[in-house]
Amino acid sequence: MTLASAPAAIVFDAYGTIFDVYAVAARLEALWPGKGRAIAEKWREKQIEYSRLRTISDRYVDFWAITADALDYSLEFARAAASAKARASLLAAYETLPPHPEVPAALRALAARGLPLAVLSNGAEAMLNAVLEASALRSLFAHVLSVDRVRKFKTAPEVYHLALDALGRPASELLFVSSNGWDAVGAAWFGYSVFWINRANAPAERLDAPPFAIGRTMSDLVGFVEMGCAG
Ligand code: LAC
């Protein structure tokens, strides 16, 4: 994928792309040995599933509520009984998720090029600001855009439109970055240039998306931008 020129700005997905959503597995493992990774994966899977079902059926509640519901489902699914205190602490972990190790330096390198950076996420506004503040990354972003504003989740086109209004540019001049293959597809369908950080070495989604650039980490994104987004 080649952009006609350097992107006017870069728009980032949050969960999975900037922040490691599976960092909660260690905490879960300490509570329920042998089950941590499975609960963490089910938690993420149900969180995304509920966001889609609520969008399709016009039943919006914010991503914090969805994250709590998905946690409760996943704990019961794994027959993991949690005290109210343990549940609250697991949920609170979402406000202090660590960034993937290479992310802070990569974001600083991109910001140093003078590129406006934005977050566009399913996350509720308060949870996004909390996790960005906790990792000291908030000041790198010109905009933190939550789907709260349109009361629909990705991949609704209204969500991807939010960054166009904020940045005052058409999608074709913006680079959208996500580690979630389905989100990369949604953004490409909408008309963004896209860089997929394929951290999990997952197969490409079979969804007839326009072609987009692919790397393994956010450091690869920095290389891509330094090369003029050719490749
Ligand atoms: C987000 C989800 C897709 O941050 O991870 O929007």
Side-chain angles (χ1 to χ4, degrees), residues 18-188:
I18 297 174
F19 299 105
D20 180 5
V21 290
Y22 298 118
V24 291
R27 212 182 273 230
L28 290 161
E29 184 66 20
L31 289 164
W32 297 285
K35 295 183 174 177
R37 184 77 199 180
I39 298 173
E41 284 177 3
K42 180 63 77 179
W43 187 2
R44 175 67 171 166
E45 178 195 318
K46 294 305 282 190
Q47 181 194 49
I48 299 303
E49 181 187 330
Y50 289 169
S51 72
R52 291 173 179 158
L53 290 171
R54 286 184 172 279
T55 299
I56 292 166
S57 293
D58 198 15
R59 297 264 170 183
Y60 186 81
V61 298
D62 77 17
F63 206 56
W64 185 254
I66 281 183
T67 301
D69 289 341
L71 172 62
D72 290 338
Y73 179 97
S74 309
L75 292 174
E76 189 173 342
F77 184 85
R79 309 269 182 272
S83 66
K85 196 173 157 210
R87 178 186 180 273
S89 128
L90 285 165
L91 198 50
Y94 245 82
E95 293 186 314
T96 54
L97 289 174
H100 288 284
E102 84 286 5
V103 162
L107 289 176
R108 282 192 193 97
L110 294 167
R113 299 179 70 83
L115 282 165
L117 309 182
V119 170
L120 175 59
S121 170
N122 275 350
E125 198 136 346
M127 66 192 283
L128 285 173
N129 282 313
V131 74
L132 286 163
E133 293 289 354
S135 56
L137 296 175
R138 176 64 186 85
S139 61
L140 293 172
F141 293 99
H143 302 277
V144 176
L145 305 168
S146 162
V147 301
D148 280 346
R149 299 176 190 205
V150 292
R151 298 179 66 79
K152 289 179 185 204
F153 294 99
K154 296 171 178 176
T155 55
E158 294 91 330
V159 172
Y160 296 107
H161 199 275
L162 283 169
L164 279 52
D165 292 339
L167 292 159
R169 298 283 191 153
S172 58
E173 293 180 17
L174 301 173
L175 184 61
F176 186 91
V177 179
S178 184
S179 67
N180 299 292
W182 56 269
D183 185 22
V185 168

